[in-house]
Amino acid sequence: MKRFRPYFPRILLPGLILGGLILAGSATIWGQMDLPAVSQSVEGGRGLLFMPTARTFGQAAIVLGGKGLYQRREYPVLWKTENNMDNTTIGTIHLTLGLTDWMDVTGAVYGFHDARPYVKNLRYGTADYGIGSSRVAVKARYPFAMDFPVQLGLKLGAMLDTSEKQMDGLIYRWTRKGTDYEGSLLQTIDFGNKISVHFEEGYVVSGAKIYDDQWVGSVGLELRATDRLSFGLEALNRTFDGISPQSVLKAG
């Protein structure tokens, strides 16, 4: 990917990130479905901010969205008593198509800006930006009616190795070196028209040279305050079979 970088205007990625921040949490929907208070996750597909839900958008839906994520990373420096900070940002554009009422397909592309990249535990490098990972996924749910209060789903996807670099921390997943393959079981339960709970259990086969496979578990609570406003609370866990970004950081 590096050889193409001189041909991209230097304002391209900041523009994408700004667009992601403006679009954060939003989605534009075309089709014949009435979809109040729904959103895409950061990896695309119907869901909360991070975790997917068992629900789909429905047949003929075309959902275009974006998000911006900011991370402030703390690193130790050998000759200092206090830690230094590194500010990184991820911007993403994702598109979901409703093939049927019970099956969606999603594509997403990520970009990053690393304000003060850390270099070999000694010094900070110059600011860097570039293209991150790409993602493709399909989600299918048991063909209950769209308004049925219990939904069961299956998600299969891949995070593709298109990133120019790999960064640790929360954002490592969207700056991959090596392609990850994943699968998850999803469950959604509605308690009336206002409250839903969501569950995810999955596994990720890592294509990275450093990081091992992961077990995924998530639970989410969704409150739909109005037809156009919803709130979400999520607890997410990724347990590595071996080496993880945190263990690499601790090992220096």
Side-chain angles (χ1 to χ4, degrees), residues 3-166:
R3 62 182 181 272
F4 294 105
R5 288 188 61 186
Y7 299 97
F8 284 91
R10 294 193 65 84
I11 63 171
L12 176 61
L13 187 71
L16 288 176
I17 292 174
L18 178 61
L21 290 168
I22 293 173
L23 292 170
S26 68
T28 304
I29 302 173
W30 295 270
Q32 301 176 358
M33 305 303 301
D34 182 16
L35 297 173
V38 298
S39 63
Q40 285 176 301
S41 73
V42 70
E43 295 184 355
R46 190 166 173 178
L48 303 182
L49 178 60
F50 289 103
M51 71 172 293
T53 69
R55 290 194 174 277
T56 55
F57 286 114
Q59 185 173 8
I62 304 175
V63 186
L64 176 66
K67 288 190 173 59
L69 301 174
Y70 167 78
Q71 174 181 272
R72 187 171 175 84
R73 298 186 292 174
E74 189 175 16
Y75 282 112
V77 179
L78 290 178
W79 60 85
K80 297 178 62 174
T81 57
E82 72 276 9
N83 292 339
N84 277 8
M85 307 303 297
D86 180 13
N87 303 294
T88 54
T89 308
I90 290 288
T92 177
I93 301 295
H94 33 65
L95 175 68
T96 301
L97 306 177
L99 299 184
T100 69
D101 278 351
W102 51 271
M103 180 176 289
D104 286 344
V105 295
T106 294
V109 62
Y110 301 83
F112 67 85
H113 181 266
D114 199 4
R116 299 183 68 189
Y118 200 62
V119 179
K120 296 183 179 178
N121 206 32
L122 294 175
R123 62 183 176 85
Y124 282 100
T126 58
D128 193 15
Y129 69 91
I131 297 171
S133 300
S134 301
R135 175 173 171 77
V136 293
V138 59
K139 179 165 64 176
R141 63 177 181 85
Y142 188 82
F144 292 123
M146 291 287 286
D147 59 353
F148 195 71
V150 177
Q151 299 288 336
L152 305 175
L154 172 67
K155 180 194 71 174
L156 299 174
M159 193 67 74
L160 306 178
D161 179 6
T162 58
S163 185
E164 296 184 5
K165 66 184 293 187
Q166 180 168 294

Side-chain angles (χ1 to χ4, degrees), residues 36-37 46 48 53 55 147-151 187-199 219-227 229-233:
R46 190 166 173 178
L48 303 182
T53 69
R55 290 194 174 277
D147 59 353
F148 195 71
V150 177
Q151 299 288 336
Q187 306 89 38
T188 290
I189 303 173
D190 296 335
F191 296 92
N193 295 324
K194 297 294 186 181
I195 299 175
S196 298
V197 292
H198 309 285
F199 303 93
V219 59
L221 175 65
E222 183 181 8
L223 172 62
R224 291 174 291 278
T226 70
D227 284 348
L229 178 64
S230 65
F231 299 91
L233 177 66

